[in-house]
Every structure is written in structure tokens, then in C-alpha cells.
Amino acid sequence: MTIPALELKGIRKAFDSGKKTVLDGISLTVGENEFVSLIGPSGSGKTTLFQLIGGLEKPTAGEVWIGGKETTGSRGHISYMPQQASLMPWRSVSANIELAVQVAGIEKKQSVKMAREWLERIGLQEYTDAYPHVLSGGMQQRVSFLRALLSPQPLMLLDEPFGALDALTRQQMQQWLMAMWEENRRSVLFVTHSIEEALLLSDRILVLSAAPATIVEEIKVPFARPRPAQLWKEPQFNELKERIQELLHQGEAVVK
């Protein structure tokens, strides 16, 4: 039996002395080398769920299991890519990556070698010694993803990493992320507000209701990999898009 990279068991989270419930019995799994997306209305608790998985918060009830071990309330078990790149402006592009790798336990000489090799692989070698302010938003997110990718933890949490990008850059980054993930498969839990993005990238999509959030439905994405950029032209793509839109509306209606 394969051990899931992540398993959440009946996660409930309430704030304000229990008066405000944000998550109400979330159970899910992410398999080894599986790409799973969470999609739900704004304020449905997706970021709170990431904080619980990462050990920054403790659930009111339920358990977090990573790699077959209970890690509820414990940190250091995941790699994380936030909504904003959050690069340190006083460190070079390479040094930003090197620091993340060194914190993960890689010695300095090896971390420098890894950073420079990977910057070349993602086409940013000319910015190795530059500072983050000269990079475009898409370039900064590539560096941010690279920091998460080079972290040794097998589970990656990606928290709507392309939400702040313009439409064209976001589309380019989706294609780039898909290619990078195909080449270096990791277990990924991905938060997005974009149905199209979830369908393009994911193996499964979990649709959340509005808070207090529950999982409305799990959708297995049927498209073979590698996926073409023009996947949105497929009739089944648009059928699934409409189905997810319907589920999101239902989830909001159930709460109201």
C-alpha cells in the first residue's frame, strides 16, 4: 500500500473562542508525485488550511499526516511557494536560492553549485548575480518556485502563486510550471481561484464550499500528460469548467 504524501483527517478550525468556524471536517489526500488543486470562494479557508499543514496553526480538531507520520502542529515538513515571491532584496538572485537550500541542510559549496546550475536550466543564468528588483514578476516567481523545488521535502504547497501576474505572464507561467513539474515530479497541493488553471495543471481538483468550508466534490482530471497549451479548446475541458462553476455556486448556496 502506497503511503500518501499528505493526509488530512477531519480537519476543523475555529477562531474567536470557537464562534467562527472556517474549516469544518476537511479530509483529503495527496498521493506520491500527484498534483492536486484546491479551488473555492474567497474566504473559504484555503490559506488557513495551508497554515495548518505547515504547522503554523493547530487545528481545533483533526490530524495532519505527512509521509505516513502525524505532523499536526509541527513545522519543517513541507516546501512552500507563497502568493508573492518574497525574495530578499539585499541578496542576489543566486544568494536567495542558496540560502533556502542551506536552511534545508545543504552545505554552502553545494548550494552555490545547485543554484547556478538550476538558474541556467530555467533560463535565468544572466541574472545570477543580479538583485531581485531587476526581475519581472514572472521571473521572480520562477526563482520562488525554484527555492521550493530545491527544498528536500517531498510535499510542495503552492498558494495561488500566479494570482498577482498579468494574464499573459500568468499563462506563460502555467506552461512553465507544468513543464517543470513534468520533469521533476513532486507531490503538490495547489491553491487557485482559476478553474482553467486547475484543469490545466491538476490530476485532481477538490472543490470547497464557502466558510465554514467542506469539500463539495472531488473531480479527477481526465486529460493525458503532457498537456497541450490549447487544452481549453477541448469540449470536455469546457464541460468540466462549467461543472466546477456550478459546484462553486452550489457550495455558496449551501452555506447561505
Side-chain angles (χ1 to χ4, degrees):
M1 182 177 176
T2 304
I3 297 173
L6 171 68
E7 186 173 10
L8 303 183
K9 302 180 179 181
I11 293 292
R12 182 176 177 273
K13 181 64 177 178
F15 295 98
D16 194 17
S17 302
K19 295 177 183 177
K20 182 180 179 181
T21 300
V22 178
L23 303 168
D24 193 15
I26 300 289
S27 295
L28 62 84
T29 62
V30 177
E32 185 178 356
N33 302 330
E34 185 181 28
F35 199 118
V36 177
S37 286
L38 284 173
I39 190 164
S42 296
S44 58
K46 300 182 293 295
T47 298
T48 298
L49 191 62
F50 269 21
Q51 292 173 339
L52 294 170
I53 296 168
L56 300 177
E57 293 273 356
K58 289 186 178 181
T60 306
E63 298 174 352
V64 178
W65 289 68
I66 296 176
K69 297 180 180 179
E70 186 180 0
T71 60
T72 310
S74 175
R75 304 183 186 187
H77 303 284
I78 56 101
S79 59
Y80 176 66
M81 181 178 176
Q83 295 177 13
Q84 303 292 336
S86 301
L87 303 178
M88 287 175 278
W90 61 89
R91 299 182 68 97
S92 70
V93 171
S94 181
N96 266 279
I97 298 168
E98 292 162 24
L99 179 61
V101 175
Q102 288 168 28
V103 168
I106 305 297
E107 59 97 18
K108 184 174 182 179
K109 185 176 180 180
Q110 180 64 14
S111 72
V112 172
K113 183 173 183 288
M114 288 173 66
R116 292 176 181 268
E117 285 178 352
W118 274 92
L119 282 169
E120 184 172 358
R121 289 182 68 176
I122 67 172
L124 293 179
Q125 63 270 25
E126 65 183 285
Y127 297 99
T128 296
D129 298 316
Y131 288 85
H133 72 273
V134 307
L135 302 181
S136 68
M139 289 176 179
Q140 290 189 25
Q141 286 302 79
R142 288 190 188 194
V143 175
S144 183
F145 178 76
L146 191 53
R147 289 192 306 184
L149 182 67
L150 295 181
S151 180
Q153 291 87 352
L155 176 65
M156 298 177 69
L157 304 186
L158 309 185
D159 189 1
E160 204 176 356
F162 309 141
L165 302 178
D166 64 80
L168 180 59
T169 304
R170 182 171 186 152
Q171 186 177 41
Q172 293 169 341
M173 284 299 299
Q174 290 166 358
Q175 293 295 325
W176 181 84
L177 174 58
M178 189 164 53
M180 287 292 293
W181 183 81
E182 290 284 358
E183 186 180 345
N184 306 274
R185 292 209 176 192
R186 301 277 287 278
S187 299
V188 172
L189 186 61
F190 182 87
V191 162
T192 180
H193 280 98
S194 169
I195 298 173
E196 294 91 341
E197 189 168 76
L199 286 169
L200 178 67
L201 296 172
S202 311
D203 297 308
R204 287 186 294 126
I205 299 170
L206 303 176
V207 183
L208 298 180
S209 72
T214 60
I215 294 176
V216 178
E217 191 165 320
E218 172 189 308
I219 293 175
K220 292 184 179 180
V221 180
F223 309 114
R225 295 185 185 274
R227 292 175 183 165
Q230 303 299 310
L231 185 64
W232 58 271
K233 292 183 178 180
E234 296 286 336
Q236 193 173 12
F237 182 95
N238 289 294
E239 289 171 9
L240 286 170
K241 179 182 173 181
E242 290 178 8
R243 173 62 179 154
I244 294 170
Q245 287 174 329
E246 185 180 303
L247 288 168
L248 289 171
H249 291 317
Q250 289 176 358
E252 289 180 336
V254 166
V255 174
K256 292 175 183 177

Coordinates of all heavy atoms in Angstrom, one line a residue, residues 176-242:
W176 N 5.1 27.0 -18.0 CA 6.4 26.8 -17.4 C 6.4 25.9 -16.2 O 7.1 24.9 -16.1 CB 7.1 28.1 -17.0 CG 8.5 28.0 -16.5 CD1 9.6 27.9 -17.1 CD2 8.8 27.9 -15.1 NE1 10.7 27.8 -16.3 CE2 10.2 27.8 -15.0 CE3 8.1 27.9 -13.9 CZ2 10.9 27.7 -13.8 CZ3 8.7 27.8 -12.7 CH2 10.1 27.7 -12.6
L177 N 5.4 26.1 -15.3 CA 5.3 25.3 -14.2 C 4.9 23.8 -14.6 O 5.4 22.9 -14.0 CB 4.2 25.8 -13.2 CG 3.8 25.0 -12.0 CD1 5.0 24.7 -11.1 CD2 2.7 25.6 -11.2
M178 N 4.0 23.7 -15.5 CA 3.6 22.4 -16.0 C 4.8 21.6 -16.5 O 5.0 20.4 -16.2 CB 2.5 22.5 -17.1 CG 1.9 21.2 -17.5 SD 0.3 21.4 -18.3 CE 0.8 22.5 -19.6
A179 N 5.7 22.3 -17.3 CA 6.9 21.6 -17.9 C 7.9 21.3 -16.8 O 8.4 20.2 -16.8 CB 7.5 22.6 -18.9
M180 N 8.1 22.2 -15.8 CA 9.0 21.9 -14.7 C 8.5 20.7 -13.8 O 9.3 19.9 -13.4 CB 9.1 23.1 -13.8 CG 10.0 24.2 -14.5 SD 11.7 23.8 -14.7 CE 12.2 23.7 -12.9
W181 N 7.2 20.7 -13.6 CA 6.6 19.6 -12.8 C 6.7 18.3 -13.5 O 7.0 17.3 -12.9 CB 5.2 19.9 -12.4 CG 4.6 18.9 -11.5 CD1 4.8 18.8 -10.1 CD2 3.8 17.8 -11.9 NE1 4.1 17.7 -9.6 CE2 3.5 17.0 -10.7 CE3 3.3 17.3 -13.1 CZ2 2.7 15.9 -10.7 CZ3 2.5 16.2 -13.1 CH2 2.3 15.5 -11.9
E182 N 6.5 18.3 -14.8 CA 6.6 17.0 -15.5 C 8.0 16.5 -15.4 O 8.2 15.3 -15.4 CB 6.3 17.3 -17.0 CG 4.8 17.5 -17.3 CD 3.9 16.3 -17.2 OE1 4.5 15.2 -17.0 OE2 2.7 16.4 -17.4
E183 N 9.0 17.4 -15.4 CA 10.4 17.0 -15.4 C 10.9 16.6 -14.0 O 11.7 15.7 -13.9 CB 11.3 18.1 -15.9 CG 12.8 17.8 -16.1 CD 13.6 18.9 -16.6 OE1 13.0 19.9 -17.1 OE2 14.8 18.9 -16.5
N184 N 10.3 17.2 -13.0 CA 10.7 17.0 -11.6 C 9.5 16.7 -10.7 O 9.2 17.6 -9.9 CB 11.5 18.2 -11.1 CG 12.7 18.6 -12.0 OD1 13.7 18.1 -11.9 ND2 12.4 19.5 -12.9
R185 N 8.9 15.6 -10.9 CA 7.6 15.4 -10.2 C 7.7 15.4 -8.7 O 8.6 14.7 -8.2 CB 6.9 14.1 -10.7 CG 6.5 14.2 -12.2 CD 5.3 13.3 -12.5 NE 4.9 13.5 -13.9 CZ 3.8 13.0 -14.3 NH1 3.0 12.3 -13.5 NH2 3.4 13.2 -15.6
R186 N 6.9 16.2 -8.1 CA 6.8 16.2 -6.6 C 5.3 16.1 -6.3 O 4.4 16.3 -7.2 CB 7.3 17.5 -6.1 CG 8.8 17.8 -6.4 CD 9.7 17.1 -5.5 NE 9.7 17.7 -4.2 CZ 10.5 18.8 -3.9 NH1 11.2 19.4 -4.8 NH2 10.4 19.3 -2.7
S187 N 5.0 15.9 -5.0 CA 3.6 15.9 -4.6 C 3.3 17.4 -4.3 O 4.0 18.1 -3.6 CB 3.5 15.1 -3.3 OG 3.8 13.8 -3.5
V188 N 2.2 17.8 -5.0 CA 1.8 19.3 -4.9 C 0.4 19.4 -4.5 O -0.5 18.7 -5.0 CB 2.0 19.9 -6.3 CG1 1.4 21.4 -6.3 CG2 3.5 19.9 -6.7
L189 N 0.2 20.3 -3.5 CA -1.2 20.8 -3.2 C -1.2 22.3 -3.6 O -0.4 23.1 -3.1 CB -1.5 20.7 -1.7 CG -3.0 21.0 -1.3 CD1 -4.0 20.1 -2.1 CD2 -3.2 20.9 0.2
F190 N -2.1 22.7 -4.5 CA -2.0 24.0 -5.2 C -3.4 24.7 -5.0 O -4.4 24.1 -5.2 CB -1.8 23.7 -6.7 CG -1.7 24.9 -7.6 CD1 -0.5 25.5 -7.8 CD2 -2.8 25.4 -8.3 CE1 -0.4 26.5 -8.7 CE2 -2.7 26.4 -9.2 CZ -1.5 27.0 -9.3
V191 N -3.3 25.9 -4.5 CA -4.5 26.7 -4.3 C -4.6 27.7 -5.4 O -3.6 28.4 -5.8 CB -4.4 27.5 -2.9 CG1 -5.4 28.7 -2.9 CG2 -4.7 26.6 -1.8
T192 N -5.8 27.8 -6.0 CA -6.0 28.7 -7.1 C -7.5 29.2 -7.1 O -8.3 28.5 -6.6 CB -5.7 28.1 -8.5 OG1 -5.9 29.1 -9.5 CG2 -6.5 26.9 -8.7
H193 N -7.7 30.3 -7.7 CA -9.1 30.8 -7.9 C -9.5 30.5 -9.4 O -10.7 30.8 -9.7 CB -9.3 32.3 -7.6 CG -9.4 32.6 -6.1 ND1 -8.4 33.0 -5.3 CD2 -10.5 32.5 -5.3 CE1 -8.8 33.1 -4.1 NE2 -10.1 32.9 -4.0
S194 N -8.6 30.1 -10.2 CA -8.8 29.9 -11.6 C -9.2 28.5 -11.9 O -8.3 27.6 -11.8 CB -7.5 30.3 -12.4 OG -7.7 30.0 -13.7
I195 N -10.4 28.3 -12.4 CA -10.8 27.0 -12.8 C -9.9 26.4 -14.0 O -9.5 25.3 -14.0 CB -12.3 27.0 -13.2 CG1 -13.2 27.4 -12.0 CG2 -12.7 25.6 -13.8 CD1 -14.6 27.6 -12.4
E196 N -9.7 27.3 -15.0 CA -8.9 26.9 -16.1 C -7.5 26.5 -15.7 O -6.9 25.5 -16.2 CB -8.7 28.1 -17.1 CG -10.0 28.5 -17.8 CD -10.8 29.6 -17.0 OE1 -10.5 29.7 -15.8 OE2 -11.7 30.2 -17.6
E197 N -6.9 27.2 -14.7 CA -5.5 26.9 -14.2 C -5.6 25.5 -13.5 O -4.7 24.7 -13.8 CB -5.1 27.9 -13.2 CG -3.7 27.9 -12.8 CD -3.3 29.1 -12.1 OE1 -3.7 29.3 -10.9 OE2 -2.6 30.0 -12.7
A198 N -6.6 25.3 -12.7 CA -6.7 24.0 -12.1 C -6.8 22.8 -13.0 O -6.2 21.8 -12.9 CB -7.9 24.0 -11.1
L199 N -7.6 23.0 -14.1 CA -7.8 21.9 -15.1 C -6.6 21.7 -15.9 O -6.3 20.5 -16.2 CB -9.0 22.3 -16.0 CG -10.4 22.2 -15.4 CD1 -11.4 22.9 -16.3 CD2 -10.8 20.7 -15.2
L200 N -5.8 22.7 -16.2 CA -4.6 22.6 -16.9 C -3.5 21.8 -16.2 O -2.8 21.0 -16.7 CB -4.1 24.0 -17.4 CG -2.8 24.0 -18.1 CD1 -2.9 23.3 -19.5 CD2 -2.2 25.4 -18.3
L201 N -3.4 22.1 -14.9 CA -2.3 21.6 -14.1 C -2.5 20.3 -13.3 O -1.6 19.6 -13.1 CB -1.8 22.7 -13.1 CG -1.3 24.0 -13.7 CD1 -1.1 25.0 -12.6 CD2 0.0 23.8 -14.5
S202 N -3.8 20.0 -13.0 CA -4.0 19.1 -11.9 C -4.3 17.7 -12.4 O -4.8 17.4 -13.5 CB -5.2 19.5 -11.0 OG -5.1 20.9 -10.7
D203 N -4.0 16.7 -11.4 CA -4.5 15.3 -11.6 C -5.9 15.2 -11.0 O -6.8 14.5 -11.5 CB -3.6 14.4 -10.8 CG -2.2 14.3 -11.4 OD1 -2.1 14.1 -12.7 OD2 -1.2 14.5 -10.7
R204 N -6.1 15.9 -9.8 CA -7.5 16.0 -9.2 C -7.7 17.4 -8.7 O -6.8 18.2 -8.4 CB -7.5 15.1 -8.0 CG -7.6 13.6 -8.3 CD -7.8 12.7 -7.1 NE -6.7 12.8 -6.1 CZ -6.7 13.1 -4.9 NH1 -7.9 13.4 -4.3 NH2 -5.7 13.1 -4.1
I205 N -9.0 17.8 -8.7 CA -9.4 19.1 -8.2 C -10.4 18.9 -7.0 O -11.4 18.1 -7.2 CB -10.1 19.9 -9.3 CG1 -9.1 20.2 -10.4 CG2 -10.6 21.3 -8.7 CD1 -9.7 20.8 -11.6
L206 N -10.2 19.5 -5.9 CA -11.1 19.5 -4.8 C -11.8 20.8 -4.7 O -11.1 21.9 -4.5 CB -10.3 19.2 -3.5 CG -9.5 17.9 -3.5 CD1 -8.7 17.8 -2.2 CD2 -10.3 16.7 -3.7
V207 N -13.1 20.8 -4.8 CA -13.9 22.0 -4.8 C -14.4 22.2 -3.3 O -15.1 21.4 -2.8 CB -15.1 21.9 -5.7 CG1 -15.9 23.2 -5.8 CG2 -14.6 21.6 -7.2
L208 N -14.1 23.4 -2.8 CA -14.5 23.8 -1.5 C -15.8 24.6 -1.5 O -16.0 25.4 -2.4 CB -13.4 24.5 -0.7 CG -12.1 23.8 -0.5 CD1 -11.1 24.8 0.2 CD2 -12.3 22.5 0.3
S209 N -16.6 24.5 -0.4 CA -17.7 25.4 -0.2 C -17.2 26.7 0.4 O -16.0 26.8 0.8 CB -18.7 24.8 0.7 OG -18.2 24.7 2.0
A210 N -18.0 27.7 0.5 CA -17.7 28.9 1.3 C -17.6 28.5 2.8 O -18.0 27.4 3.2 CB -18.8 30.0 1.1
A211 N -16.9 29.3 3.6 CA -16.7 29.0 5.0 C -18.1 28.9 5.7 O -19.0 29.7 5.4 CB -15.8 30.1 5.6
P212 N -18.2 28.0 6.7 CA -17.2 27.0 7.1 C -17.0 25.9 6.0 O -18.0 25.3 5.6 CB -17.8 26.4 8.4 CG -19.2 26.6 8.3 CD -19.4 27.9 7.5
A213 N -15.8 25.8 5.5 CA -15.5 25.1 4.3 C -15.6 23.5 4.5 O -15.1 23.0 5.5 CB -14.1 25.4 3.8
T214 N -16.2 22.9 3.5 CA -16.2 21.5 3.4 C -15.9 21.2 1.9 O -15.9 22.0 1.1 CB -17.6 20.8 3.7 OG1 -18.6 21.4 2.8 CG2 -18.0 21.1 5.2
I215 N -15.5 19.9 1.7 CA -15.2 19.6 0.3 C -16.5 19.2 -0.4 O -17.2 18.2 0.0 CB -14.2 18.4 0.2 CG1 -12.9 18.8 0.7 CG2 -14.1 17.9 -1.2 CD1 -11.8 17.7 0.8
V216 N -16.9 20.0 -1.4 CA -18.2 19.8 -2.1 C -18.1 18.5 -3.0 O -19.0 17.7 -3.1 CB -18.5 21.0 -2.9 CG1 -19.8 20.8 -3.7 CG2 -18.7 22.2 -2.0
E217 N -16.9 18.5 -3.7 CA -16.8 17.3 -4.7 C -15.3 17.2 -5.1 O -14.5 18.2 -5.1 CB -17.6 17.5 -5.9 CG -17.7 16.3 -6.8 CD -18.8 16.3 -7.8 OE1 -19.9 16.8 -7.5 OE2 -18.6 15.9 -9.0
E218 N -14.9 16.0 -5.4 CA -13.6 15.7 -5.9 C -13.7 15.4 -7.4 O -14.6 14.6 -7.8 CB -12.9 14.5 -5.2 CG -11.6 14.1 -5.9 CD -11.1 12.8 -5.3 OE1 -11.0 12.7 -4.1 OE2 -10.9 11.8 -6.1
I219 N -12.9 16.0 -8.3 CA -13.0 15.8 -9.7 C -11.7 15.3 -10.2 O -10.6 15.9 -10.0 CB -13.4 17.1 -10.5 CG1 -14.8 17.5 -10.1 CG2 -13.2 17.0 -12.0 CD1 -15.2 18.9 -10.7
K220 N -11.7 14.1 -10.8 CA -10.5 13.6 -11.4 C -10.3 14.2 -12.8 O -11.3 14.1 -13.7 CB -10.5 12.1 -11.5 CG -10.5 11.4 -10.1 CD -10.5 9.9 -10.2 CE -10.4 9.3 -8.8 NZ -10.4 7.8 -8.9
V221 N -9.2 14.8 -13.1 CA -9.0 15.4 -14.4 C -8.5 14.4 -15.4 O -7.5 13.7 -15.2 CB -7.9 16.6 -14.3 CG1 -7.7 17.2 -15.6 CG2 -8.4 17.6 -13.2
P222 N -9.3 14.2 -16.5 CA -9.1 13.0 -17.4 C -8.0 13.2 -18.5 O -7.7 12.2 -19.2 CB -10.5 12.8 -18.0 CG -11.0 14.2 -18.1 CD -10.5 15.0 -16.9
F223 N -7.4 14.4 -18.6 CA -6.6 14.6 -19.7 C -5.2 14.1 -19.5 O -4.6 14.2 -18.5 CB -6.4 16.2 -20.0 CG -7.8 16.8 -20.0 CD1 -8.2 17.8 -19.1 CD2 -8.7 16.5 -21.1 CE1 -9.4 18.4 -19.1 CE2 -9.9 17.1 -21.1 CZ -10.3 18.1 -20.2
A224 N -4.7 13.4 -20.6 CA -3.3 12.8 -20.5 C -2.2 13.8 -20.4 O -2.4 15.0 -20.9 CB -3.1 11.9 -21.8
R225 N -1.1 13.5 -19.9 CA 0.1 14.3 -19.8 C 1.1 13.8 -20.8 O 1.1 12.6 -21.1 CB 0.7 14.3 -18.4 CG -0.2 14.9 -17.4 CD 0.5 15.0 -16.0 NE -0.4 15.4 -14.9 CZ -0.6 16.7 -14.6 NH1 0.0 17.6 -15.4 NH2 -1.3 17.1 -13.6
P226 N 1.9 14.7 -21.4 CA 1.9 16.2 -21.2 C 0.7 16.8 -21.9 O 0.2 16.4 -22.9 CB 3.2 16.6 -21.8 CG 3.5 15.6 -22.8 CD 3.0 14.3 -22.3
R227 N 0.3 17.9 -21.3 CA -0.9 18.6 -21.8 C -0.6 19.8 -22.7 O 0.3 20.6 -22.4 CB -1.8 19.1 -20.6 CG -2.3 17.9 -19.8 CD -3.0 18.3 -18.5 NE -3.5 17.1 -17.8 CZ -3.9 17.1 -16.6 NH1 -3.9 18.2 -15.9 NH2 -4.3 16.0 -16.0
P228 N -1.4 19.9 -23.8 CA -1.1 21.0 -24.7 C -1.6 22.3 -24.2 O -2.5 22.4 -23.4 CB -1.9 20.6 -26.0 CG -3.0 19.7 -25.4 CD -2.4 19.0 -24.2
A229 N -0.9 23.4 -24.7 CA -1.3 24.7 -24.3 C -2.8 25.1 -24.7 O -3.4 25.9 -24.1 CB -0.4 25.8 -24.9
Q230 N -3.2 24.4 -25.7 CA -4.6 24.7 -26.3 C -5.6 23.8 -25.7 O -6.7 23.5 -26.3 CB -4.6 24.6 -27.8 CG -3.6 25.6 -28.5 CD -3.9 27.0 -28.1 OE1 -5.0 27.5 -28.3 NE2 -2.9 27.8 -27.7
L231 N -5.4 23.2 -24.5 CA -6.3 22.3 -23.9 C -7.7 22.8 -23.7 O -8.7 22.1 -23.8 CB -5.7 21.8 -22.5 CG -6.5 20.7 -21.8 CD1 -6.5 19.4 -22.6 CD2 -5.9 20.5 -20.4
W232 N -7.8 24.2 -23.5 CA -9.0 24.8 -23.3 C -10.0 24.7 -24.5 O -11.2 25.0 -24.4 CB -8.8 26.3 -23.0 CG -8.1 27.1 -24.0 CD1 -6.7 27.2 -24.1 CD2 -8.6 27.8 -25.1 NE1 -6.4 28.0 -25.2 CE2 -7.5 28.4 -25.8 CE3 -9.9 28.0 -25.6 CZ2 -7.7 29.1 -27.0 CZ3 -10.1 28.8 -26.7 CH2 -9.0 29.3 -27.4
K233 N -9.5 24.3 -25.7 CA -10.3 24.2 -26.8 C -11.1 22.8 -26.8 O -12.0 22.6 -27.6 CB -9.5 24.3 -28.1 CG -8.9 25.6 -28.4 CD -8.2 25.7 -29.7 CE -7.6 27.1 -30.0 NZ -6.9 27.1 -31.3
E234 N -10.7 21.9 -26.0 CA -11.3 20.6 -25.9 C -12.7 20.7 -25.3 O -12.9 21.4 -24.3 CB -10.5 19.6 -25.1 CG -9.1 19.3 -25.6 CD -9.2 18.3 -26.8 OE1 -10.2 17.6 -26.9 OE2 -8.2 18.3 -27.6
P235 N -13.7 20.1 -26.0 CA -15.1 20.2 -25.4 C -15.2 19.7 -24.0 O -15.9 20.3 -23.2 CB -15.9 19.2 -26.4 CG -15.1 19.2 -27.6 CD -13.7 19.3 -27.2
Q236 N -14.5 18.6 -23.6 CA -14.5 18.1 -22.3 C -14.0 19.1 -21.3 O -14.4 19.2 -20.1 CB -13.8 16.8 -22.2 CG -14.1 16.0 -20.9 CD -13.5 14.6 -20.8 OE1 -12.7 14.3 -21.7 NE2 -13.9 13.8 -19.9
F237 N -13.0 19.9 -21.7 CA -12.4 20.9 -20.8 C -13.5 21.9 -20.4 O -13.6 22.2 -19.2 CB -11.3 21.6 -21.5 CG -10.6 22.7 -20.7 CD1 -9.4 22.4 -20.0 CD2 -11.1 24.0 -20.6 CE1 -8.7 23.3 -19.3 CE2 -10.4 25.0 -19.9 CZ -9.2 24.6 -19.2
N238 N -14.3 22.3 -21.4 CA -15.3 23.3 -21.1 C -16.5 22.7 -20.3 O -17.1 23.4 -19.5 CB -15.8 24.0 -22.4 CG -14.7 24.9 -23.0 OD1 -14.4 25.9 -22.4 ND2 -14.1 24.5 -24.1
E239 N -16.7 21.4 -20.5 CA -17.8 20.8 -19.8 C -17.4 20.7 -18.3 O -18.2 21.0 -17.4 CB -18.0 19.4 -20.3 CG -18.7 19.3 -21.7 CD -18.7 17.9 -22.3 OE1 -18.3 16.9 -21.5 OE2 -19.0 17.7 -23.4
L240 N -16.1 20.4 -18.0 CA -15.6 20.3 -16.6 C -15.6 21.7 -16.0 O -15.9 21.9 -14.8 CB -14.3 19.7 -16.6 CG -14.2 18.2 -16.8 CD1 -12.8 17.7 -16.9 CD2 -14.9 17.4 -15.6
K241 N -15.2 22.7 -16.8 CA -15.2 24.1 -16.3 C -16.6 24.5 -15.8 O -16.8 25.1 -14.7 CB -14.7 25.0 -17.4 CG -14.7 26.5 -17.0 CD -14.2 27.4 -18.1 CE -14.3 28.8 -17.8 NZ -13.9 29.7 -18.9
E242 N -17.6 24.2 -16.7 CA -19.0 24.5 -16.3 C -19.4 23.8 -15.1 O -20.1 24.3 -14.2 CB -19.9 24.2 -17.5 CG -19.7 25.2 -18.7 CD -20.6 24.9 -19.8 OE1 -21.5 24.0 -19.7 OE2 -20.5 25.5 -20.9

